[in-house]
């Protein structure tokens, strides 16, 4: 999945450099629908006030999060699945609400094998894995 996300973000930047702002926003939205974190890159066209890129992102997100799932699973089931994803993945990360069943596995620094800089520094400061906060 990470290779796909990197390819989509690279396509967004390539389109932006070529002046294809609408396509740039669409590629960025595609990356954000696969993984949540690339959605933070929407700040770039927002800060630059690139309304065309934002429009491309909104249209692509609507198609990828609304139309495609509705075609595959039907409108009612796609709404149900999107609500479940928001409640299980997004809500625990943004607040203390939501379904906490997967919160530890998805959001705790010690729950998964991470190669992030933050995880590496934490492992360095706390070498005993069982006592790591």
């Amino acid at each position: 999945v990470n290779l796909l996300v990197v390819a989509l973000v690279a396509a967004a930047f390539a389109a932006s450099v070529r002046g294809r702002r609408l396509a740039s926003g669409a590629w960025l939205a595609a990356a954000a629908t696969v993984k949540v974190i690339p959605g933070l890159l929407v700040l770039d066209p927002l800060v630059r006030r690139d309304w065309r890129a934002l429009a491309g992102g909104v249209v692509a997100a609507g198609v990828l999060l609304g139309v495609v799932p509705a075609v595959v699973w039907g409108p009612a089931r796609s709404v149900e699945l999107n609500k479940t994803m928001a409640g299980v993945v997004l809500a625990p990360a943004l607040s203390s609400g939501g379904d906490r069943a997967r919160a530890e596995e998805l959001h705790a620094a010690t729950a998964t094998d991470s190669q992030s800089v933050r995880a590496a520094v934490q492992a360095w400061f706390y070498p005993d894995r069982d006592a790591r906060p």
Side-chain angles (χ1 to χ4, degrees), residues 27-123:
W27 287 118
L28 192 56
T33 58
V34 175
K35 276 195 163 191
V36 176
I37 297 299
L40 295 175
L41 293 176
V42 77
L43 293 175
D44 178 56
L46 191 62
V47 167
R48 291 185 297 125
R49 293 190 175 110
D50 187 354
W51 308 122
R52 235 175 164 178
L54 287 172
V58 167
V59 169
V63 168
L64 294 171
L65 293 173
V67 175
V68 172
V71 168
V72 174
W73 291 296
R77 180 79 171 130
S78 67
V79 168
E80 179 186 330
L81 290 171
N82 277 330
K83 281 183 182 178
T84 300
M85 193 280 295
V88 171
V89 177
L90 298 177
L94 299 174
S95 69
S96 61
D99 184 355
R100 307 292 300 169
R102 295 176 193 90
E104 177 73 21
E105 179 182 345
L106 292 173
H107 308 295
T110 59
T112 61
D113 292 327
S114 176
Q115 297 175 356
S116 71
V117 173
R118 178 178 172 239
V121 170
Q122 185 180 25

Side-chain angles (χ1 to χ4, degrees), residues 108-114 119 122-133:
T110 59
T112 61
D113 292 327
S114 176
Q122 185 180 25
W124 185 27
F125 283 140
Y126 303 100
D128 183 11
R129 187 177 186 88
D130 295 329
R132 228 177 261 166

